[in-house]
Amino acid sequence: MSRSDGAVDAGHPQHASGYDSELQRLDVVFRQACDVQTRDRVLDVGCGTGQSTRAAALAAHDGSALGVDSSAPAVERARGLADAAGLGNIAFERGDAQVHPFPGETFDLAISRFGTMFFHDAGAAFTNLARALRPAGRLVMLVWQAGDRNEWDVAIHRALAEGAQPIAPSRAFSLADPARTTEILEAAGFVDISFTDVEEPVYYGPDVVAAEAWVRSFTSTGELLERLDPDGAEQGLARLRETLSAHLRDDGVWFGSRAWIVSARRGEGVLRSWWTSGTAGAHP
């Protein structure tokens, strides 16, 4: 699922618009890194409401783009937006990339904009994606770096976590460690793995009121507030509003962020290793 903290309902029109607006600066970098070619067959993993899928379909005008997401509302919304855009080379499916029966050796490029960090079994998921790619097919994904390198995460926790019980680390940062992520991808059959540092701000809204509403839609925000008594929650929200005000510019509320562009290629022997692994049992 394509979400900033694993929480935002990407199928809700307001949330979809907010999420795409939040990532507007990062999205430019991501599209350049994807470098979709005119005849590419593109798989967009955790596509949400399909902004990156539609961009891929436009670039691959002699190819195609398939978006996959586990959220039924997101997929339904994505189909409507693609229809409205008149795109004939695009499709969307609801599915879990860990076990979805993608056709083998079909796609030239698999992309994901903040969707791969939420796999419950990353090894199974990336093995399945490698199987879906053609030999030497590319994987390009955008993932968050560690939380302490992301101003938005640090600021929210400082405002709301005072006096609260700690919460489990967000899965949004599950691929933040290059060494661990490299190990996962290599085990899945990927080679030529590289990490490119991306430092671009994220947009939380035109004013403090909109920014607070956006932050309060995050699951992590709700979890932090639930750990506070009513007075503590109100104090935390007051601190949050002060933090948002401090980040208000003429063009809205912005926070610093750090992400990785992770690029890789499918290596040899992927199908053989897949059929001899436990992952094979999850497919028809």
Side-chain angles (χ1 to χ4, degrees):
M1 48 185 79
S2 295
R3 296 161 187 186
S4 60
D5 72 337
V8 177
D9 180 3
H12 190 289
Q14 179 182 356
H15 287 166
S17 175
Y19 185 67
D20 290 338
S21 294
E22 175 188 344
L23 302 179
Q24 58 188 270
R25 296 283 293 272
L26 287 159
D27 196 55
V28 173
V29 180
F30 178 61
R31 293 189 193 189
Q32 292 173 343
C34 290
D35 190 26
V36 177
Q37 302 298 299
T38 58
R39 296 182 181 275
D40 276 349
R41 298 187 69 180
V42 183
L43 171 62
D44 186 8
V45 180
C47 66
T49 56
Q51 184 185 56
S52 51
T53 324
R54 295 192 300 276
L58 286 168
H61 49 77
D62 293 324
S64 62
L66 170 65
V68 176
D69 199 279
S70 60
S71 167
V75 169
E76 182 177 354
R77 175 69 173 165
R79 287 172 177 155
L81 292 170
D83 287 345
L87 295 171
N89 63 337
I90 193 170
F92 294 93
E93 296 178 5
R94 183 188 181 191
D96 180 348
Q98 296 172 161
V99 296
H100 194 70
F102 298 114
E105 298 193 329
T106 296
F107 300 97
D108 302 289
L109 171 63
I111 66 174
S112 182
R113 188 189 69 174
F114 296 118
T116 52
M117 303 96 64
F118 302 105
F119 293 143
H120 292 285
D121 186 339
F126 284 115
T127 298
N128 197 29
L129 294 179
R131 173 185 171 270
L133 286 168
R134 292 177 177 175
R138 295 188 299 131
L139 169 70
V140 179
M141 56 185 182
L142 188 62
V143 304
W144 292 121
Q145 293 187 29
D148 60 8
R149 305 197 75 190
N150 278 280
E151 184 184 36
W152 57 270
D153 188 63
V154 172
I156 292 171
H157 277 76
R158 281 180 178 169
L160 297 179
E162 184 177 325
Q165 296 295 319
I167 62 174
S170 172
R171 284 165 52 210
F173 307 112
S174 67
L175 298 176
D177 180 5
R180 180 179 179 276
T181 300
T182 296
E183 183 179 354
I184 293 170
L185 292 176
E186 286 179 342
F190 287 96
V191 298
D192 299 332
I193 302 162
S194 65
F195 293 77
T196 302
D197 182 23
V198 180
E199 186 173 7
E200 292 286 351
V202 289
Y203 176 72
Y204 275 13
D207 52 43
V208 171
V209 172
E212 181 185 353
W214 180 240
V215 171
R216 292 185 69 169
S217 74
F218 299 170
T219 292
S220 58
T221 302
E223 290 174 346
L224 286 167
L225 289 172
E226 285 175 1
R227 285 161 170 75
L228 297 170
D229 58 37
D231 288 341
E234 185 53 44
Q235 292 170 11
L237 290 172
R239 290 192 298 270
L240 176 61
R241 286 188 283 271
E242 290 175 1
T243 298
L244 296 173
S245 296
H247 286 79
L248 177 63
R249 309 188 321 201
D250 290 343
D251 57 348
V253 178
W254 296 81
F255 283 88
S257 80
R258 298 290 288 273
W260 296 117
I261 291 284
V262 186
S263 300
R265 290 187 180 275
R266 198 197 97 159
E268 298 179 359
V270 168
L271 285 179
R272 182 172 65 252
S273 64
W274 178 80
W275 281 114
T276 58
S277 73
T279 307
H283 294 263

